[in-house]
Amino acid sequence: MSDQNEPVKPSKGETRAATASAMPGKIGSLRRDPKGWLILVLGLGAPLAFLIAAAGSGFGLWGWQAGLGAIPWIILVAVLTLLLAIIFIVLNRRKGRKTRWPLLGLGMVATLGFLAFWIPYVIAVATLPAIHDITTDLADPPQFTAIALRDDNWDNIPGADDSDMRGMNPRQRWATVHQDAYPDIRSVRIDQPVAVVIEKAKRLAEDRGWEIVSVDPASGNLEATDTISLFRFKDDVVIRARSAENGAASIIDMRSVSRVGVHDIGANAKRVRRFLSDLSGTTTAASQ
Protein backbone atom coordinates (compact mmCIF):
# COMPACT_ATOMS: atom_id res chain seq x y z
CA MET A 1 0.00 0.00 0.00
CA SER A 2 1.42 3.37 -0.96
CA ASP A 3 1.81 6.22 1.49
CA GLN A 4 -0.81 8.86 0.87
CA ASN A 5 1.61 11.61 2.03
CA GLU A 6 4.33 10.62 -0.49
CA PRO A 7 4.85 13.46 -3.04
CA VAL A 8 3.78 12.74 -6.56
CA LYS A 9 6.70 12.85 -9.01
CA PRO A 10 6.01 14.70 -12.24
CA SER A 11 6.34 12.78 -15.44
CA LYS A 12 9.22 13.43 -17.84
CA GLY A 13 6.92 15.29 -20.16
CA GLU A 14 5.70 17.54 -17.36
CA THR A 15 9.32 18.21 -16.28
CA ARG A 16 10.38 19.28 -19.78
CA ALA A 17 7.32 21.51 -20.11
CA ALA A 18 7.97 23.16 -16.76
CA THR A 19 11.64 23.73 -17.63
CA ALA A 20 10.76 25.26 -20.99
CA SER A 21 8.26 27.62 -19.41
CA ALA A 22 10.61 28.63 -16.58
CA MET A 23 13.66 29.24 -18.79
CA PRO A 24 12.90 31.41 -21.83
CA GLY A 25 14.68 30.16 -24.90
CA LYS A 26 16.92 32.12 -27.17
CA ILE A 27 14.26 32.23 -29.83
CA GLY A 28 11.82 33.79 -27.41
CA SER A 29 14.37 36.36 -26.33
CA LEU A 30 15.13 37.20 -29.93
CA ARG A 31 11.44 37.65 -30.71
CA ARG A 32 11.00 39.98 -27.75
CA ASP A 33 13.88 42.29 -28.78
CA PRO A 34 14.96 41.72 -32.40
CA LYS A 35 16.24 45.29 -32.75
CA GLY A 36 18.43 44.95 -29.69
CA TRP A 37 19.90 41.69 -30.93
CA LEU A 38 20.57 43.23 -34.35
CA ILE A 39 22.50 46.18 -32.87
CA LEU A 40 24.40 43.89 -30.50
CA VAL A 41 25.45 41.49 -33.27
CA LEU A 42 26.52 44.33 -35.55
CA GLY A 43 28.22 46.22 -32.71
CA LEU A 44 30.32 43.22 -31.70
CA GLY A 45 30.72 42.02 -35.28
CA ALA A 46 32.62 45.09 -36.48
CA PRO A 47 35.60 44.79 -34.08
CA LEU A 48 35.58 41.02 -34.56
CA ALA A 49 35.76 41.47 -38.33
CA PHE A 50 38.68 43.88 -37.90
CA LEU A 51 40.55 41.39 -35.71
CA ILE A 52 40.02 38.67 -38.31
CA ALA A 53 41.15 40.95 -41.17
CA ALA A 54 44.29 42.05 -39.30
CA ALA A 55 45.24 38.66 -37.87
CA GLY A 56 44.62 36.95 -41.21
CA SER A 57 47.05 39.35 -42.86
CA GLY A 58 49.56 38.88 -40.07
CA PHE A 59 49.48 35.10 -40.41
CA GLY A 60 49.69 35.28 -44.19
CA LEU A 61 46.21 33.97 -44.93
CA TRP A 62 45.73 36.93 -47.28
CA GLY A 63 47.75 39.97 -48.32
CA TRP A 64 48.07 43.10 -46.22
CA GLN A 65 46.31 45.03 -48.98
CA ALA A 66 43.20 42.91 -48.53
CA GLY A 67 43.32 43.30 -44.75
CA LEU A 68 43.70 47.08 -44.91
CA GLY A 69 41.15 47.31 -47.70
CA ALA A 70 38.51 45.73 -45.47
CA ILE A 71 38.91 48.35 -42.73
CA PRO A 72 36.96 51.21 -44.38
CA TRP A 73 34.03 48.84 -44.99
CA ILE A 74 34.13 47.60 -41.41
CA ILE A 75 34.15 51.17 -40.09
CA LEU A 76 31.23 51.99 -42.41
CA VAL A 77 29.26 49.09 -40.92
CA ALA A 78 29.98 50.43 -37.42
CA VAL A 79 28.80 53.92 -38.38
CA LEU A 80 25.61 52.53 -39.93
CA THR A 81 25.04 50.42 -36.82
CA LEU A 82 25.20 53.50 -34.63
CA LEU A 83 22.84 55.40 -36.93
CA LEU A 84 20.43 52.47 -36.99
CA ALA A 85 20.41 52.32 -33.19
CA ILE A 86 19.63 56.04 -33.01
CA ILE A 87 16.79 55.58 -35.51
CA PHE A 88 15.33 52.77 -33.39
CA ILE A 89 15.43 54.97 -30.29
CA VAL A 90 13.79 57.93 -32.08
CA LEU A 91 11.05 55.75 -33.58
CA ASN A 92 10.29 54.19 -30.22
CA ARG A 93 9.98 57.61 -28.64
CA ARG A 94 7.69 58.91 -31.38
CA LYS A 95 5.43 55.90 -31.07
CA GLY A 96 5.38 56.08 -27.29
CA ARG A 97 7.16 52.77 -26.84
CA LYS A 98 9.85 52.07 -24.28
CA THR A 99 13.28 51.27 -25.68
CA ARG A 100 14.68 47.92 -24.55
CA TRP A 101 18.12 49.04 -23.45
CA PRO A 102 20.16 46.00 -22.32
CA LEU A 103 21.01 44.57 -25.73
CA LEU A 104 20.73 47.78 -27.75
CA GLY A 105 22.76 49.73 -25.19
CA LEU A 106 25.51 47.12 -25.10
CA GLY A 107 25.67 47.11 -28.90
CA MET A 108 25.92 50.91 -28.98
CA VAL A 109 28.71 50.93 -26.38
CA ALA A 110 30.67 48.35 -28.39
CA THR A 111 30.18 50.38 -31.56
CA LEU A 112 31.19 53.67 -29.95
CA GLY A 113 34.27 52.06 -28.44
CA PHE A 114 35.28 50.63 -31.81
CA LEU A 115 34.82 53.96 -33.58
CA ALA A 116 36.70 55.83 -30.83
CA PHE A 117 39.62 53.45 -31.36
CA TRP A 118 40.00 54.80 -34.90
CA ILE A 119 39.89 58.51 -34.08
CA PRO A 120 43.69 58.91 -33.57
CA TYR A 121 44.35 57.13 -36.86
CA VAL A 122 41.89 59.30 -38.76
CA ILE A 123 43.48 62.43 -37.29
CA ALA A 124 46.95 61.15 -38.24
CA VAL A 125 45.91 60.47 -41.82
CA ALA A 126 44.34 63.92 -42.07
CA THR A 127 47.19 65.89 -40.48
CA LEU A 128 50.41 64.02 -41.31
CA PRO A 129 52.00 63.64 -44.76
CA ALA A 130 51.80 60.36 -46.63
CA ILE A 131 55.43 59.37 -46.13
CA HIS A 132 56.95 56.28 -44.53
CA ASP A 133 60.67 57.14 -44.24
CA ILE A 134 61.65 59.17 -41.15
CA THR A 135 65.15 60.27 -40.17
CA THR A 136 66.99 62.69 -37.92
CA ASP A 137 69.32 63.78 -40.74
CA LEU A 138 67.57 64.86 -43.94
CA ALA A 139 70.77 65.99 -45.67
CA ASP A 140 72.66 62.76 -44.99
CA PRO A 141 70.29 60.01 -43.79
CA PRO A 142 71.84 56.89 -42.22
CA GLN A 143 72.18 54.22 -44.89
CA PHE A 144 71.07 50.60 -44.71
CA THR A 145 73.76 48.07 -45.60
CA ALA A 146 72.54 44.77 -44.15
CA ILE A 147 68.86 45.51 -44.89
CA ALA A 148 67.71 46.38 -48.40
CA LEU A 149 65.76 49.61 -48.70
CA ARG A 150 62.40 49.08 -50.41
CA ASP A 151 62.46 49.53 -54.20
CA ASP A 152 59.60 52.04 -54.25
CA ASN A 153 60.90 54.11 -51.35
CA TRP A 154 60.86 57.37 -53.32
CA ASP A 155 57.65 56.67 -55.24
CA ASN A 156 54.36 58.41 -54.40
CA ILE A 157 55.96 61.22 -52.41
CA PRO A 158 53.33 63.96 -51.92
CA GLY A 159 53.72 67.43 -53.38
CA ALA A 160 54.12 66.62 -57.07
CA ASP A 161 51.21 68.96 -57.90
CA ASP A 162 52.14 71.57 -55.29
CA SER A 163 53.28 74.84 -56.88
CA ASP A 164 55.66 75.47 -53.96
CA MET A 165 57.54 72.25 -54.76
CA ARG A 166 57.48 72.51 -58.54
CA GLY A 167 60.74 71.27 -60.05
CA MET A 168 61.72 69.24 -56.98
CA ASN A 169 62.56 65.56 -57.36
CA PRO A 170 60.84 63.00 -55.06
CA ARG A 171 63.67 63.00 -52.54
CA GLN A 172 63.64 66.79 -52.29
CA ARG A 173 59.86 66.77 -51.82
CA TRP A 174 60.26 64.11 -49.13
CA ALA A 175 62.76 66.25 -47.26
CA THR A 176 60.47 69.29 -47.50
CA VAL A 177 57.30 67.61 -46.21
CA HIS A 178 59.33 65.71 -43.61
CA GLN A 179 60.78 68.93 -42.21
CA ASP A 180 57.37 70.60 -42.11
CA ALA A 181 55.70 67.67 -40.34
CA TYR A 182 58.50 66.57 -37.98
CA PRO A 183 60.77 69.55 -37.21
CA ASP A 184 61.54 68.11 -33.76
CA ILE A 185 63.17 64.95 -35.10
CA ARG A 186 66.88 65.80 -35.15
CA SER A 187 70.26 64.34 -34.29
CA VAL A 188 71.07 63.98 -30.59
CA ARG A 189 74.37 64.27 -28.76
CA ILE A 190 75.37 61.76 -26.08
CA ASP A 191 78.40 62.21 -23.82
CA GLN A 192 79.63 58.67 -24.37
CA PRO A 193 81.94 57.02 -26.93
CA VAL A 194 80.49 55.55 -30.11
CA ALA A 195 80.99 51.89 -29.14
CA VAL A 196 79.30 52.41 -25.77
CA VAL A 197 76.32 54.13 -27.38
CA ILE A 198 75.83 51.38 -29.96
CA GLU A 199 75.98 48.68 -27.28
CA LYS A 200 73.35 50.57 -25.30
CA ALA A 201 71.24 50.95 -28.46
CA LYS A 202 71.49 47.20 -29.03
CA ARG A 203 70.18 46.47 -25.53
CA LEU A 204 67.30 48.92 -25.96
CA ALA A 205 66.39 47.39 -29.32
CA GLU A 206 66.40 43.90 -27.81
CA ASP A 207 64.24 45.09 -24.90
CA ARG A 208 61.71 46.34 -27.47
CA GLY A 209 61.66 42.94 -29.18
CA TRP A 210 63.34 44.17 -32.35
CA GLU A 211 65.18 41.68 -34.53
CA ILE A 212 68.85 42.73 -34.60
CA VAL A 213 70.06 42.27 -38.17
CA SER A 214 73.50 43.88 -37.92
CA VAL A 215 75.50 45.61 -35.19
CA ASP A 216 79.02 47.04 -35.32
CA PRO A 217 79.98 49.07 -32.25
CA ALA A 218 83.39 49.96 -33.67
CA SER A 219 81.95 51.61 -36.78
CA GLY A 220 78.92 52.97 -34.95
CA ASN A 221 76.15 51.19 -36.86
CA LEU A 222 73.12 49.12 -35.90
CA GLU A 223 70.32 47.78 -38.10
CA ALA A 224 67.17 46.09 -36.83
CA THR A 225 63.57 45.26 -37.73
CA ASP A 226 60.51 46.03 -35.62
CA THR A 227 57.35 43.96 -36.21
CA ILE A 228 54.20 45.81 -35.19
CA SER A 229 50.41 45.39 -34.85
CA LEU A 230 48.21 42.41 -35.66
CA PHE A 231 49.11 42.93 -39.30
CA ARG A 232 52.73 42.15 -38.35
CA PHE A 233 54.04 45.04 -40.42
CA LYS A 234 57.82 45.23 -40.51
CA ASP A 235 59.64 48.55 -40.12
CA ASP A 236 63.40 48.66 -40.63
CA VAL A 237 65.65 50.80 -38.44
CA VAL A 238 69.25 51.97 -38.80
CA ILE A 239 71.13 53.82 -36.06
CA ARG A 240 74.36 55.68 -36.77
CA ALA A 241 76.79 57.01 -34.16
CA ARG A 242 79.58 59.41 -35.13
CA SER A 243 82.43 60.43 -32.89
CA ALA A 244 82.54 63.95 -31.44
CA GLU A 245 84.93 65.80 -29.12
CA ASN A 246 87.84 63.46 -29.88
CA GLY A 247 85.79 60.40 -29.04
CA ALA A 248 84.40 61.56 -25.72
CA ALA A 249 80.92 62.10 -27.15
CA SER A 250 78.77 60.85 -30.02
CA ILE A 251 76.31 62.35 -32.50
CA ILE A 252 73.43 59.91 -32.99
CA ASP A 253 71.21 59.71 -36.05
CA MET A 254 68.36 57.29 -36.65
CA ARG A 255 66.21 56.29 -39.58
CA SER A 256 63.00 54.23 -39.53
CA VAL A 257 61.35 53.01 -42.76
CA SER A 258 58.14 51.03 -43.32
CA ARG A 259 58.50 48.09 -45.69
CA VAL A 260 54.97 48.44 -47.07
CA GLY A 261 52.40 51.15 -47.53
CA VAL A 262 52.54 54.85 -48.37
CA HIS A 263 51.32 56.48 -45.14
CA ASP A 264 52.87 55.29 -41.87
CA ILE A 265 50.34 57.26 -39.75
CA GLY A 266 53.22 58.71 -37.74
CA ALA A 267 54.48 55.31 -36.51
CA ASN A 268 58.08 55.79 -37.62
CA ALA A 269 58.34 59.28 -36.12
CA LYS A 270 56.95 58.00 -32.84
CA ARG A 271 59.50 55.16 -32.83
CA VAL A 272 62.43 57.52 -33.48
CA ARG A 273 61.32 59.97 -30.77
CA ARG A 274 60.86 57.30 -28.11
CA PHE A 275 64.02 55.38 -28.90
CA LEU A 276 66.32 58.40 -28.95
CA SER A 277 64.69 59.74 -25.79
CA ASP A 278 65.43 56.46 -23.99
CA LEU A 279 68.91 56.21 -25.50
CA SER A 280 70.02 59.71 -24.60
CA GLY A 281 67.80 60.51 -21.65
CA THR A 282 66.83 63.77 -23.37
CA THR A 283 65.25 65.03 -26.56
CA THR A 284 67.75 67.91 -26.92
CA ALA A 285 69.12 68.18 -30.43
CA ALA A 286 72.82 67.78 -31.08
CA SER A 287 74.90 70.93 -31.41
CA GLN A 288 76.94 70.49 -34.56
Side-chain angles (χ1 to χ4, degrees), residues 2-202:
S2 59
D3 191 345
Q4 293 181 355
N5 295 323
E6 182 179 348
V8 179
K9 295 182 179 180
S11 65
K12 292 183 179 180
E14 291 174 337
T15 301
R16 284 194 290 266
T19 302
S21 61
M23 299 176 60
K26 294 182 179 179
I27 296 179
S29 178
L30 178 60
R31 288 175 178 173
R32 284 195 298 273
D33 191 10
K35 296 176 182 177
W37 277 108
L38 176 62
I39 299 303
L40 179 62
V41 169
L42 292 176
L44 296 178
L48 178 60
F50 164 69
L51 292 176
I52 292 173
S57 296
F59 285 111
L61 299 180
W62 44 75
W64 63 269
Q65 298 93 335
L68 285 181
I71 292 178
W73 297 102
I74 295 172
I75 294 176
L76 177 61
V77 169
V79 172
L80 293 177
T81 300
L82 187 60
L83 291 176
L84 188 60
I86 294 173
I87 290 172
F88 287 159
I89 295 171
V90 171
L91 289 178
N92 285 340
R93 180 166 296 183
R94 286 185 176 181
K95 295 180 179 181
R97 294 193 301 242
K98 289 185 178 180
T99 298
R100 296 178 180 271
W101 281 107
L103 298 178
L104 188 141
L106 182 58
M108 291 184 69
V109 169
T111 302
L112 287 170
F114 179 68
L115 292 175
F117 168 79
W118 290 104
I119 290 176
Y121 296 97
V122 173
I123 294 174
V125 170
T127 58
L128 297 176
I131 57 177
H132 54 265
D133 187 340
I134 304 300
T135 183
T136 56
D137 189 344
L138 293 171
D140 182 21
Q143 297 299 309
F144 291 96
T145 56
I147 299 174
L149 191 64
R150 53 188 284 185
D151 295 334
D152 65 344
N153 196 56
W154 303 114
D155 296 347
N156 303 313
I157 301 298
D161 299 326
D162 192 329
S163 60
D164 293 337
M165 289 187 278
R166 184 171 299 156
M168 292 184 181
N169 61 38
R171 181 162 177 167
Q172 291 170 329
R173 296 200 309 271
W174 163 76
T176 299
V177 299
H178 185 302
Q179 177 61 32
D180 290 342
Y182 307 111
D184 62 306
I185 296 183
R186 294 172 289 173
S187 308
V188 297
R189 179 183 179 276
I190 299 178
D191 293 327
Q192 290 177 327
V194 166
V196 174
V197 171
I198 291 298
E199 286 291 351
K200 182 179 179 181
K202 178 176 178 288

